[in-house]
Amino acid sequence: MNNQWLPLIGMAVGMVLGLVGAFGGLVAFVLVLVLGAVGLLVGRLAETGEPNLSRLSGRRR
């Protein structure tokens, strides 16, 4: 994945979660957050075949 899109994707996800939290309440916020995490895991499994999320952290080795 091209890293130049990660801040934009993060901002969009944050805005969606903020809107859901403001208009849908806590239950909707948690539901969107959990389904987003599940979607991330499924996408990683489809892309690489393993749920390795270590590359998402900002630390470089």
Side-chain angles (χ1 to χ4, degrees):
M1 178 178 215
N2 196 349
N3 287 338
Q4 70 182 6
W5 289 100
L6 290 179
L8 182 63
I9 293 169
M11 183 184 70
V13 169
M15 290 173 63
V16 168
L17 286 174
L19 285 171
V20 168
F23 295 111
L26 181 63
V27 174
F29 176 80
V30 171
L31 180 65
V32 169
L33 189 62
V34 168
L35 290 177
V38 168
L40 176 67
L41 285 173
V42 169
R44 282 290 179 184
L45 282 171
E47 181 182 19
T48 62
E50 60 183 34
N52 185 3
L53 301 178
S54 64
R55 291 187 296 167
L56 296 179
S57 69
R59 295 183 295 192
R60 301 284 183 228
R61 291 184 185 190

